[in-house]
């Protein structure tokens, strides 16, 4: 029974990571690509790690999975925000430069 649960977590995680990869390739601009990569990629990685924790079942692995999950949940939104902010600043500078040239 535990193998079925582990398999379901791994398949679901791999599916979300695949969806994130397809989103990065298919979506038109930086902000939508960033949305696909942060949401689906983080969820996929978390599901794979939960599957690993169920498979191993030892306290050492579970504690590492919890620490890694917390790290991902804390850093992925911050990284996405910083990338979006940098993009907005660059676009504003380009608009200001175009307005000065006209």
């Amino acid at each position: 029974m535990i193998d079925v649960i582990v398999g379901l977590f791994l398949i679901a995680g791999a599916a979300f990571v695949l969806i994130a990869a397809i989103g990065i390739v298919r979506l038109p601009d930086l902000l939508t690509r960033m949305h696909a990569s942060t949401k689906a990629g983080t969820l996929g990685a978390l599901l794979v790690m939960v599957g690993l924790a169920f498979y191993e079942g030892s306290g050492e692995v579970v504690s590492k999975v919890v620490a890694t999950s917390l790290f991902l949940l804390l850093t992925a939104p911050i990284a996405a925000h910083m990338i979006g902010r940098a993009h907005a600043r660059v676009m504003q500078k380009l608009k200001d430069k175009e307005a000065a040239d006209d």
Side-chain angles (χ1 to χ4, degrees), residues 44-92:
L46 291 176
L47 288 174
V48 169
M49 286 191 292
V50 168
L52 172 67
F54 273 115
Y55 180 74
E56 288 293 328
S58 67
E60 181 181 350
V61 172
V62 171
S63 65
K64 287 179 182 178
V65 165
V66 169
T68 306
S69 298
L70 288 175
F71 182 76
L72 267 177
L73 290 173
L74 289 175
T75 58
I78 294 170
H81 175 75
M82 297 307 288
I83 292 170
R85 185 175 170 186
H87 174 73
R89 287 184 178 182
V90 168
M91 294 306 290
Q92 185 62 41

Side-chain angles (χ1 to χ4, degrees), residues 87-101:
H87 174 73
R89 287 184 178 182
V90 168
M91 294 306 290
Q92 185 62 41
K93 284 182 182 177
L94 289 175
K95 286 181 183 176
D96 291 344
K97 186 176 181 181
E98 285 180 8
D101 289 342

